[in-house]
């Protein structure tokens, strides 16, 4: 056991942070990182790496940190993951790497995420860059198209580029990153951090073409035919909104979390009046749902200045799939949780805008109706697969909900040479996290390289 207590990173105080979009968790100082790295027991058979979906050599990188060899630590992490600044911030470590840490049995586990973030940020500060692999192995003549620049597509691109494949990523939006850019808010994951890590990928030779909706400008058949790609990866995520199907669903003032977060993050609604893209939400906001997306929507709403932000959730808070740290932050900031409650109807004013929401709350004695006066209702009910690829690719086997079906370990789809991963498949099991998307991107890259070798 370690005699040293887990080092906590400084946080912005709740009253300060609820008024702006500055990053909430400040991250370790060098002294804190060194002390924390000293807590690692350097187990012979570490279970932390088993909990990490991309199997980072955690013990190895922490050992480098403890010796102040931060470049060595960065090199060790990037053998498995090019995005430590991102993953150190957003992975649900308490269910992954840190859940395996043996210290966690009797005291708090090593803060693996905070250490990873420290190393990733240090690499950005010093502009560290791996040698271009093509300089080492020479380019192959093979070409890969990646559809979607979310974590699955980026991780797949990284492994293919390292193997000397020419990689072009096609992204529908005007900026790359998927949910990392348009979904997860600035106060949790600053966009500068995301773009710096993506820049490392482009420095490896990967081309990212934005404003390219595959299914509209080119089909997969075009990519494999006319445009001469040898393999294709589908990493289009599951950003299609889901409605409750109750009365009042389509009133003015009802929106999906993805629409709301995209308007704030991507269109910089949070930066009004510097950007002429205000997002009007009124005085009272209700967010329906309690996953990561709901918590992000509630905390984002709060920062736009309303009097009340409610989370309306049909289960108990303990059952929420969101990261525990984010729930704690939301409570500290003043988000009000109304649990065991289901929305039944959204009520309009005379002009067709939201005026109130009628809900049913359950408790030990039965159920009762509650009326919430709200101006905005945000649906954060989980997302669905966008049907555009399925509709334009008849040879591709998808399930009823348009999720792409893949085969076994390689993640090849029903079309030879076409692979898929991330949220558009069910290959991460029930997990829809950044690092699971990345791990399926890496798995698919392995399958694609094997396919290229044998075809
Ligand atoms: P995405 O990130 O959705 O990226 C898909 C990309 O494909 C998008 O950029 C999209 O524009 C593009 N695309 C779609 N269709 C096309 C097309 N036809 N042509 C070209 N491009 C296309 N996970 C965590 O681990 N931790 C968190 O804290 C966390 N918070 C979250 C908060 C929010 C608000 C949301 C929505 C999700 C969160 N998640 C979190 C889940 C995680 O972000 C996703 O599981 C992950 O991003 C999925 O990665 P992906 O690459 O499959 O898809
Ligand atoms: Fe933990 Fe995520 Fe880092 Fe893996 S990538 S070690 S799961 S924080």
């Amino acid at each position: 056991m370690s005699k040293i207590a887990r080092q906590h990173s400084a946080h912005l105080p709740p009253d300060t942070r609820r008024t702006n979009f500055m990053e909430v968790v400040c991250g370790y100082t060098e002294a804190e990182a060194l002390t924390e790295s000293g807590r690692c027991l350097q187990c012979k058979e570490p279970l932390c790496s088993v909990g990490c979906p991309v199997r980072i050599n955690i013990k190895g990188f922490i050992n480098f940190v403890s010796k102040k060899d931060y470049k060595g630590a960065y090199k060790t992490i990037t053998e498995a993951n090019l995005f430590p600044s991102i993953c150190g911030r957003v992975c649900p470590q308490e269910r992954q790497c840190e859940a395996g840490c043996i210290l966690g049995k009797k005291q708090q586990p090593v803060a693996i995420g905070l250490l990873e973030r420290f190393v990733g940020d240090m690499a950005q500060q010093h502009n560290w860059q791996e040698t271009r692999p093509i300089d080492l192995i020479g380019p192959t003549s093979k070409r890969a198209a990646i559809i979607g620049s979310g974590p699955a597509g980026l991780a797949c691109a990284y492994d293919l580029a390292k193997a000397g494949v020419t990689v072009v990523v096609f992204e529908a939006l005007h900026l790359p990153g998927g949910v990392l850019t348009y979904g997860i808010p600035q106060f949790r994951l600053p966009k500068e951090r995301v773009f710096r890590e993506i820049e490392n990928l482009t420095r490896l030779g990967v081309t990212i073409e934005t404003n390219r909706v595959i299914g509209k400008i080119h089909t997969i058949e075009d990519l494999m035919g006319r445009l001469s790609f040898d393999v294709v990866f589908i990493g289009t995520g599951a950003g299609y909104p889901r409605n409750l199907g109750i009365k009042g669903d389509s009133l003015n003032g009802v929106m999906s979390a993805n629409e709301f977060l995209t308007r704030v993050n991507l269109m910089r609604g949070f930066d009004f009046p510097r950007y002429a893209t205000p997002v009007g939400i009124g005085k009272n906001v209700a967010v329906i749902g309690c996953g990561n997306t709901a918590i992000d929507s509630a905390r984002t709403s709060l920062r736009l200045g309303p009097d009340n932000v409610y989370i309306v959730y049909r289960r108990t808070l303990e059952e929420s799939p969101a990261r525990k740290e984010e729930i704690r932050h939301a409570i500290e900031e003043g988000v009000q949780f109304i649990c065991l409650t289901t929305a039944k109807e959204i009520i309009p004013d005379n002009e067709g805008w939201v005026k109130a929401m009628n809900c049913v709350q359950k408790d030990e004695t039965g159920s009762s109706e509650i009326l919430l006066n709200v101006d905005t209702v945000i649906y954060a009910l989980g997302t669905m697969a966008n049907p555009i690829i399925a509709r334009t690719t008849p040879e591709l086997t998808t399930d009823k909900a348009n999720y792409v079906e893949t085969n076994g370990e390689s993640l090849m789809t029903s079309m030879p040479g076409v692979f898929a991963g991330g949220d558009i498949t069910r290959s991460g099991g029930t997990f829809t996290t950044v690092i699971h998307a990345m791990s399926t991107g890496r798995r698919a890259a392995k399958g694609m390289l094997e396919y290229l070798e044998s075809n």
Side-chain angles (χ1 to χ4, degrees), residues 340-353:
L340 295 171
T341 302
T342 312
K344 287 292 171 202
E345 182 184 354
I346 305 171
I347 301 159
D349 66 10
N350 291 338
E351 288 168 7
W353 287 85

Side-chain angles (χ1 to χ4, degrees), residues 297-310:
S297 301
R299 295 177 72 203
T300 299
S301 302
L302 205 69
R303 284 159 171 76
L304 297 175
D307 295 338
N308 293 296
V309 176
Y310 308 103

Side-chain angles (χ1 to χ4, degrees), residues 144-155 157 167-183 194-195 198 201-202 206-218 223 229 232-239 258 262 266 386 388-389:
I146 310 269
I147 312 175
S149 66
L154 295 176
V167 183
V168 182
V169 180
F170 295 97
E171 168 55 51
L173 296 173
H174 69 278
L175 287 172
V179 171
L180 304 173
T181 302
Y182 78 76
V194 176
F195 297 140
I198 294 179
L201 195 62
T202 51
V206 170
T207 306
I208 302 182
E209 294 193 8
T210 52
N211 295 316
R212 297 279 186 277
V213 184
I214 300 303
K216 286 216 168 167
I217 54 157
H218 311 300
L223 295 175
F229 286 100
V232 170
F233 175 76
I234 307 172
T236 47
N258 267 7
T262 303
L266 202 69
N386 189 315
I388 186 170
I389 295 279

Side-chain angles (χ1 to χ4, degrees), residues 209-287:
E209 294 193 8
T210 52
N211 295 316
R212 297 279 186 277
V213 184
I214 300 303
K216 286 216 168 167
I217 54 157
H218 311 300
T219 60
I220 290 185
E221 205 182 308
D222 293 335
L223 295 175
M224 297 289 277
R226 191 164 56 79
L227 295 166
S228 315
F229 286 100
D230 301 289
V231 278
V232 170
F233 175 76
I234 307 172
T236 47
Y240 210 55
R242 191 191 287 271
N243 271 356
L244 259 187
I246 58 174
K247 206 166 163 202
D249 250 356
S250 52
L251 292 175
N252 293 322
V254 180
M255 57 185 135
S256 73
N258 267 7
E259 177 193 344
F260 171 66
L261 291 170
T262 303
R263 284 172 62 186
V264 178
N265 288 327
L266 202 69
M267 311 306 289
R268 298 190 72 90
F270 72 90
D271 223 353
F272 179 76
R274 241 163 38 96
Y275 286 75
T277 46
V279 185
I281 52 169
K283 295 265 176 227
N284 299 294
V285 179
V287 176

